[in-house]
Amino acid sequence: MSEYPDLDDLVVGIRHRSDEAFGDLYRLTADALASFAFSMLSDRQAAEDAVQQAFLELVKAAPTIKGDGRSIRAWLFRSVRFTCLDEIRRRGRRPEIPTESIPETADVHAEIQESGLDPSLESALSELTERQRSLLALRHVVGLSGAEAAEVMAMSRPAAYAATARAEKRLRTLLEGVESGSLSASQPMNHTENQP
Amino acid sequence: MSPLTKDTSQRMREAFTVEMSPATKQAHTSSIGEALSTVGSVQARPPMSWWRMRVPALGAALLVVLPVGTAIAAESALPGDLLYPVKRVVEPVRSIIDSDVVARHRVDELVRFLDAPVATDRLPDALRDAREAVSDLPIGHDLHVVFDQLTDRATDTRTSDAAPHREADEAPSSTETDTERSIETETDTETDRSLTDVPDEPDKHPHDSDSRGDSPHEHQDISDTSTTTESETKRDEPPPDHSDR
């Protein structure tokens, strides 16, 4: 039996660019996609924009879509991930802020708290690579299976499982460090280490 | 067993699970609807018929074996003619160079059945075959217009089936001559990107491990690739040298 029978029913409509099919697909997947994007960017507005972008891209690519509902779901997550990578890269290309201009630690901490983010968790996640963060988000935030996460990440299943295990171990170590005080929980979010 | 505790997993879910507001969703669906109306609805590619799957190799072989004259003579064959199978077999090979040859042949056959001096029971099949062939063409191709005109003619022909074919008895009109002329015209249209053929074999996009249609846009993966156990496709840019700390 298909994992996503509701989505399977929409595949033909999606390929025909049916308004109704796209509406239903959006209704069934948008929040999960936004959650994934938010876990990547920690920016709600940017996350919502990434979801919209994914659907606009699907409109263009619709006639070429093959497979079942699960494939379309994986396609959307991949698209959101690419948009998030673009955004991360774009943020990293911003001119370096001179040291004296870096906000006070307390301000950053307040910002994180205001945004509703879990400071320790966010701080630990920011130390992970993008790939690790993506895998953890797909598995633990969205709740995809290992096989589905592998499909989204374009990895073989064994590679995805191994990478996820390493990411989980790394996150646990980082969290222990943050919560024991050896790492500051209010460390500014820094994705620049992921830049080529 | 996951090295991540249930508590941490739960924390991640709580921290990042999002439910977009109705206003945001409405805005999104509006923009998606706008994009759909701009692009227009597209007829999905029909499933591969036996001809398309098996015939190219057969066609290439026949071109080698048959005299050139036979292949040329087959060009004008109609369904039911002796050389018609040759025509159908050679078409996929020709379509490598001349992408709309199949559609032009089917439309030409439809015209000839419509012009036939007596009613033919092959007309419905010819109409169906022409429709299928024309549907593969990019939106905006001239044959779409031609086929629409022929469909109208076919409808008129059917409704007056009981009566003698007065149209067929009349001399060919200038419209019909124009139609045939336009069939033979080489059109140079850009393929609509939305109808770009996706290879049937898996799309080995760096971010794809599965053949599931056109991939989202390519991007450089900026993540850690230093681990040797992961069999990932190499990106164009050298990844940052990270090692698990």
Side-chain angles (χ1 to χ4, degrees):
Chain A
M1 187 177 168
S2 166
E3 290 163 274
Y4 302 106
D6 290 345
L7 294 183
D8 289 343
D9 294 340
L10 300 177
V11 170
V12 173
I14 294 295
R15 281 167 47 204
H16 285 79
R17 290 192 176 126
S18 147
D19 276 316
E20 196 180 334
F22 267 87
D24 288 343
L25 179 65
Y26 180 87
R27 182 177 50 78
L28 290 168
T29 59
D31 283 337
L33 292 167
S35 300
F36 173 57
F38 186 48
S39 65
M40 296 290 293
L41 299 174
S42 301
D43 179 331
R44 181 135 179 171
Q45 184 60 56
E48 291 174 353
D49 292 345
V51 173
Q52 183 180 36
Q53 182 63 27
F55 274 89
L56 294 178
E57 288 178 3
L58 182 61
V59 167
K60 282 190 224 165
T64 64
I65 295 296
K66 295 179 184 175
D68 56 11
R70 173 175 152 160
S71 307
I72 288 194
R73 203 163 189 259
W75 195 100
L76 286 168
F77 275 105
R78 260 200 304 280
S79 180
V80 164
R81 179 169 167 254
F82 291 156
T83 303
C84 291
L85 291 183
D86 276 350
E87 175 63 17
I88 291 168
R89 199 174 298 119
R90 189 183 64 80
R91 290 175 183 176
R93 275 204 293 267
R94 281 186 195 147
E96 189 127 348
I97 303 170
T99 314
E100 55 273 16
S101 305
I102 293 176
E104 292 294 328
T105 301
D107 290 344
V108 171
H109 186 63
E111 200 178 297
I112 293 173
Q113 285 207 315
E114 257 177 36
S115 67
L117 296 173
D118 180 327
S120 311
L121 182 62
E122 183 53 44
S123 183
L125 286 171
S126 69
E127 295 293 322
L128 298 177
T129 64
E130 172 279 319
R131 183 177 298 273
Q132 291 170 330
R133 191 161 174 157
S134 295
L135 283 166
L136 292 178
L138 290 170
R139 293 301 306 275
H140 294 282
V141 176
V142 181
L144 295 191
S145 67
E148 288 174 300
E151 191 175 344
V152 171
M153 297 293 291
M155 298 168 75
S156 66
R157 285 187 198 183
Y161 281 119
T164 304
R166 279 195 298 277
E168 288 169 345
K169 187 179 168 188
R170 176 80 181 125
L171 179 62
R172 192 177 70 181
T173 305
L174 285 166
L175 273 174
E176 284 167 2
V178 166
E179 283 158 1
S180 69
S182 56
L183 276 176
S184 168
S186 52
Q187 204 168 321
M189 283 176 275
N190 180 16
H191 291 282
T192 55
E193 74 273 14
N194 288 330
Q195 294 305 306
Chain B
M1 188 170 165
S2 167
L4 214 60
T5 63
K6 275 189 185 172
D7 178 57
T8 306
S9 185
Q10 180 68 20
R11 277 171 77 182
M12 283 193 71
R13 266 195 303 282
E14 285 171 4
F16 296 112
T17 297
V18 160
E19 193 173 321
M20 292 188 285
S21 69
T24 301
K25 289 181 177 177
Q26 179 60 39
H28 284 184
T29 48
S30 293
S31 70
I32 293 166
E34 214 174 288
L36 285 168
S37 57
T38 305
V39 168
S41 67
V42 171
Q43 188 168 2
R45 183 182 170 81
M48 278 281 217
S49 68
W50 185 92
W51 284 110
R52 288 184 202 143
M53 284 194 290
R54 308 286 169 89
V55 160
L58 204 53
L62 269 178
L63 274 179
V64 169
V65 170
L66 290 175
V68 170
T70 308
I72 292 173
E75 281 276 298
S76 58
L78 286 175
D81 294 348
L82 188 63
L83 288 179
Y84 189 71
V86 175
K87 178 182 183 182
R88 292 301 296 263
V89 154
V90 167
E91 264 173 7
V93 180
R94 278 200 55 195
S95 68
I96 292 168
I97 300 165
D98 196 0
S99 60
D100 58 2
V101 70
V102 174
R104 283 192 287 110
H105 280 177
R106 296 294 86 73
V107 170
D108 174 57
E109 287 157 15
L110 177 59
V111 168
R112 289 162 69 188
F113 281 129
L114 286 169
D115 289 345
V118 294
T120 173
D121 58 0
R122 292 185 185 276
L123 184 58
D125 288 342
L127 193 58
R128 186 201 62 229
D129 288 346
R131 179 178 294 113
E132 188 177 309
V134 169
S135 73
D136 274 350
L137 296 175
I139 294 172
H141 195 289
D142 287 0
L143 282 180
H144 282 291
V145 175
V146 170
F147 178 72
D148 287 343
Q149 292 168 349
L150 294 175
T151 306
D152 291 341
R153 270 188 65 193
T155 307
D156 293 342
T157 304
R158 276 193 202 143
T159 54
S160 62
D161 233 0
H165 284 262
R166 294 193 189 89
E167 286 173 346
D169 290 339
E170 291 170 359
S173 67
S174 60
T175 308
E176 288 160 17
T177 308
D178 288 342
T179 298
E180 287 184 77
R181 220 181 278 136
S182 64
I183 289 168
E184 290 162 8
T185 301
E186 290 289 335
T187 54
D188 181 20
T189 54
E190 265 190 43
T191 303
D192 185 338
R193 205 183 301 169
S194 66
L195 293 179
T196 301
D197 269 351
V198 174
D200 289 329
E201 58 193 13
D203 180 6
K204 289 298 178 189
H205 181 280
H207 301 287
D208 271 355
S209 62
D210 201 355
S211 60
R212 301 297 188 196
D214 217 3
S215 301
H217 51 280
E218 283 193 34
H219 283 269
Q220 300 297 330
D221 192 345
I222 56 176
S223 65
D224 173 24
T225 57
S226 63
T227 53
T228 55
T229 57
E230 294 177 26
S231 54
E232 295 159 49
T233 308
K234 294 224 180 286
R235 315 288 179 210
D236 292 336
E237 290 181 3
D241 185 15
H242 289 284
S243 52
D244 281 347
R245 294 169 213 162

